[in-house]
Amino acid sequence: MDPTTDNAGKTGDPGAARAALEALRAEIAKAVVGQDPAVTGLVVALLCRGHVLLEGVPGVAKTLLVRALASALELDTKRVQFTPDLMPSDVTGSLVYDTRSAEFSFQPGPVFTNLLLADEINRTPPKTQSSLLEAMEERQVTVDGTPRPLPDPFLVAATQNPVEYEGTYPLPEAQLDRFLLKLTIPLPSRQDEIDVLTRHAEGFNPRDLHAAGVRPVAGPADLEAARAAVAKTTISPEITAYVVDICRATRESPSLTLGVSPRGATALLATARAWAWLTGRDYVIPDDVKALALPTLRHRVQLRPEAEMEGVTADSVINAILSHVPVPR
């Protein structure tokens, strides 16, 4: 498929849709250097109708990554900067009195979009964080007792700084569980950082993605075709049992106080299915499950304090479980 604006979003063919989504990497790479895993995670979330939590220190292009994705996907996007004084109505919208009609009318908030960038979500108190729960789970917003549906596709891409930074509020477990994936954005390698600085020296402006050459290469029709194809991807009973065994092992781990819930098991099955389709197969294999286990499960487990003091991480526990749970043949 030729990645041009003319054909973005006009195909219903699964093969063309896969080619369009694969073209995202090259398009986003025009603005973001060396973040292929994060790009793949965002595409998987779109295919699964899920949401993504991006975690990394300030300055590693979390916001730029989401903006580049929206530009390459020809989707409507809005950004909310989460601050300690942000109110729930600032996100969802509110009723506004119209003096001309002498009636209250609903003023939609920024959540009414395809791709909501919730920037630094852990810098606002839990009350405002929770305003996103209904939107993320039910894909609607209820104001004054009236449910108002959100557009489709709808994805929340929330960025967060590590909780050890001052002025942050850890996300409640109930909200963390609503995120399909938690993607960690690492500091770039030496060569990648050289490439970033070289681009800036040559005039790259991260606020002007159009000038950087980022163009739409896919659209809502491509996503619909891809989602339909993903839904037809075969999952054998052995793969289902493998996912269950992994998740049950987290509940029995001595390093964890909280294991993966059945919602998490369902999420892992869905992300593995989407990854299998993206890689060109119409069936899921154990390697698909392993590839998506960390981003799908790392935010759904809770470490014991003593394990955390010993340097154990959620990723290390999940990796240990993956190495011990028998793999179906």
PDB file of all heavy atoms in Angstrom, residues 233-237 239-240 269-270 273 282-284:
ATOM      1  N   THR A 233      -8.809 -14.346  14.172  1.00  0.00           N
ATOM      2  CA  THR A 233      -7.553 -15.046  14.439  1.00  0.00           C
ATOM      3  C   THR A 233      -7.801 -16.182  15.421  1.00  0.00           C
ATOM      4  O   THR A 233      -8.391 -15.983  16.484  1.00  0.00           O
ATOM      5  CB  THR A 233      -6.508 -14.075  15.000  1.00  0.00           C
ATOM      6  OG1 THR A 233      -6.300 -13.017  14.052  1.00  0.00           O
ATOM      7  CG2 THR A 233      -5.188 -14.775  15.263  1.00  0.00           C
ATOM      8  N   THR A 234      -7.351 -17.372  15.078  1.00  0.00           N
ATOM      9  CA  THR A 234      -7.657 -18.579  15.847  1.00  0.00           C
ATOM     10  C   THR A 234      -6.859 -18.648  17.142  1.00  0.00           C
ATOM     11  O   THR A 234      -5.654 -18.383  17.161  1.00  0.00           O
ATOM     12  CB  THR A 234      -7.361 -19.833  15.006  1.00  0.00           C
ATOM     13  OG1 THR A 234      -8.108 -19.753  13.787  1.00  0.00           O
ATOM     14  CG2 THR A 234      -7.733 -21.093  15.762  1.00  0.00           C
ATOM     15  N   ILE A 235      -7.548 -19.018  18.216  1.00  0.00           N
ATOM     16  CA  ILE A 235      -6.900 -19.262  19.511  1.00  0.00           C
ATOM     17  C   ILE A 235      -7.231 -20.689  19.931  1.00  0.00           C
ATOM     18  O   ILE A 235      -8.400 -21.032  20.133  1.00  0.00           O
ATOM     19  CB  ILE A 235      -7.400 -18.278  20.591  1.00  0.00           C
ATOM     20  CG1 ILE A 235      -7.160 -16.830  20.157  1.00  0.00           C
ATOM     21  CG2 ILE A 235      -6.727 -18.558  21.926  1.00  0.00           C
ATOM     22  CD1 ILE A 235      -7.765 -15.811  21.099  1.00  0.00           C
ATOM     23  N   SER A 236      -6.222 -21.525  20.036  1.00  0.00           N
ATOM     24  CA  SER A 236      -6.447 -22.920  20.406  1.00  0.00           C
ATOM     25  C   SER A 236      -6.719 -23.037  21.907  1.00  0.00           C
ATOM     26  O   SER A 236      -6.331 -22.161  22.694  1.00  0.00           O
ATOM     27  CB  SER A 236      -5.224 -23.760  20.042  1.00  0.00           C
ATOM     28  OG  SER A 236      -4.123 -23.423  20.878  1.00  0.00           O
ATOM     29  N   PRO A 237      -7.366 -24.107  22.343  1.00  0.00           N
ATOM     30  CA  PRO A 237      -7.587 -24.323  23.781  1.00  0.00           C
ATOM     31  C   PRO A 237      -6.276 -24.371  24.568  1.00  0.00           C
ATOM     32  O   PRO A 237      -6.236 -23.951  25.738  1.00  0.00           O
ATOM     33  CB  PRO A 237      -8.312 -25.673  23.833  1.00  0.00           C
ATOM     34  CG  PRO A 237      -8.964 -25.812  22.491  1.00  0.00           C
ATOM     35  CD  PRO A 237      -8.041 -25.142  21.530  1.00  0.00           C
ATOM     36  N   ILE A 239      -3.564 -22.606  24.000  1.00  0.00           N
ATOM     37  CA  ILE A 239      -3.111 -21.230  24.211  1.00  0.00           C
ATOM     38  C   ILE A 239      -3.932 -20.574  25.311  1.00  0.00           C
ATOM     39  O   ILE A 239      -3.391 -19.867  26.177  1.00  0.00           O
ATOM     40  CB  ILE A 239      -3.193 -20.416  22.909  1.00  0.00           C
ATOM     41  CG1 ILE A 239      -2.183 -20.941  21.879  1.00  0.00           C
ATOM     42  CG2 ILE A 239      -2.970 -18.940  23.176  1.00  0.00           C
ATOM     43  CD1 ILE A 239      -0.738 -20.753  22.288  1.00  0.00           C
ATOM     44  N   THR A 240      -5.236 -20.798  25.299  1.00  0.00           N
ATOM     45  CA  THR A 240      -6.089 -20.250  26.357  1.00  0.00           C
ATOM     46  C   THR A 240      -5.647 -20.755  27.723  1.00  0.00           C
ATOM     47  O   THR A 240      -5.541 -19.978  28.685  1.00  0.00           O
ATOM     48  CB  THR A 240      -7.556 -20.633  26.102  1.00  0.00           C
ATOM     49  OG1 THR A 240      -7.959 -20.154  24.809  1.00  0.00           O
ATOM     50  CG2 THR A 240      -8.466 -20.032  27.167  1.00  0.00           C
ATOM     51  N   LEU A 269      -4.877 -12.354  26.397  1.00  0.00           N
ATOM     52  CA  LEU A 269      -5.334 -13.136  25.248  1.00  0.00           C
ATOM     53  C   LEU A 269      -5.614 -12.211  24.054  1.00  0.00           C
ATOM     54  O   LEU A 269      -5.258 -12.521  22.907  1.00  0.00           O
ATOM     55  CB  LEU A 269      -6.598 -13.911  25.626  1.00  0.00           C
ATOM     56  CG  LEU A 269      -6.972 -15.096  24.727  1.00  0.00           C
ATOM     57  CD1 LEU A 269      -5.914 -16.191  24.806  1.00  0.00           C
ATOM     58  CD2 LEU A 269      -8.334 -15.648  25.127  1.00  0.00           C
ATOM     59  N   ALA A 270      -6.220 -11.051  24.330  1.00  0.00           N
ATOM     60  CA  ALA A 270      -6.555 -10.115  23.257  1.00  0.00           C
ATOM     61  C   ALA A 270      -5.310  -9.502  22.623  1.00  0.00           C
ATOM     62  O   ALA A 270      -5.210  -9.391  21.394  1.00  0.00           O
ATOM     63  CB  ALA A 270      -7.461  -9.011  23.804  1.00  0.00           C
ATOM     64  N   ARG A 273      -3.451 -11.985  20.506  1.00  0.00           N
ATOM     65  CA  ARG A 273      -4.186 -12.209  19.258  1.00  0.00           C
ATOM     66  C   ARG A 273      -3.893 -11.098  18.247  1.00  0.00           C
ATOM     67  O   ARG A 273      -3.658 -11.347  17.061  1.00  0.00           O
ATOM     68  CB  ARG A 273      -5.679 -12.247  19.587  1.00  0.00           C
ATOM     69  CG  ARG A 273      -6.559 -12.850  18.533  1.00  0.00           C
ATOM     70  CD  ARG A 273      -7.991 -12.853  19.000  1.00  0.00           C
ATOM     71  NE  ARG A 273      -8.784 -13.872  18.358  1.00  0.00           N
ATOM     72  CZ  ARG A 273     -10.077 -14.070  18.608  1.00  0.00           C
ATOM     73  NH1 ARG A 273     -10.690 -13.321  19.499  1.00  0.00           N
ATOM     74  NH2 ARG A 273     -10.738 -15.030  17.974  1.00  0.00           N
ATOM     75  N   ASP A 282      -2.751 -16.067  11.183  1.00  0.00           N
ATOM     76  CA  ASP A 282      -4.167 -16.086  11.551  1.00  0.00           C
ATOM     77  C   ASP A 282      -4.415 -17.031  12.723  1.00  0.00           C
ATOM     78  O   ASP A 282      -5.520 -17.507  12.941  1.00  0.00           O
ATOM     79  CB  ASP A 282      -5.046 -16.478  10.357  1.00  0.00           C
ATOM     80  CG  ASP A 282      -4.706 -17.866   9.807  1.00  0.00           C
ATOM     81  OD1 ASP A 282      -3.756 -18.502  10.328  1.00  0.00           O
ATOM     82  OD2 ASP A 282      -5.387 -18.307   8.854  1.00  0.00           O
ATOM     83  N   TYR A 283      -3.353 -17.300  13.483  1.00  0.00           N
ATOM     84  CA  TYR A 283      -3.468 -18.135  14.687  1.00  0.00           C
ATOM     85  C   TYR A 283      -2.423 -17.649  15.696  1.00  0.00           C
ATOM     86  O   TYR A 283      -1.403 -17.059  15.341  1.00  0.00           O
ATOM     87  CB  TYR A 283      -3.251 -19.614  14.358  1.00  0.00           C
ATOM     88  CG  TYR A 283      -1.929 -19.913  13.691  1.00  0.00           C
ATOM     89  CD1 TYR A 283      -0.798 -20.264  14.442  1.00  0.00           C
ATOM     90  CD2 TYR A 283      -1.800 -19.836  12.303  1.00  0.00           C
ATOM     91  CE1 TYR A 283       0.424 -20.517  13.825  1.00  0.00           C
ATOM     92  CE2 TYR A 283      -0.590 -20.083  11.680  1.00  0.00           C
ATOM     93  CZ  TYR A 283       0.516 -20.422  12.451  1.00  0.00           C
ATOM     94  OH  TYR A 283       1.724 -20.663  11.840  1.00  0.00           O
ATOM     95  N   VAL A 284      -2.694 -17.914  16.971  1.00  0.00           N
ATOM     96  CA  VAL A 284      -1.828 -17.444  18.056  1.00  0.00           C
ATOM     97  C   VAL A 284      -0.901 -18.573  18.493  1.00  0.00           C
ATOM     98  O   VAL A 284      -1.326 -19.724  18.621  1.00  0.00           O
ATOM     99  CB  VAL A 284      -2.671 -16.958  19.261  1.00  0.00           C
ATOM    100  CG1 VAL A 284      -1.768 -16.453  20.387  1.00  0.00           C
ATOM    101  CG2 VAL A 284      -3.636 -15.870  18.831  1.00  0.00           C
TER     102      VAL A 284
END
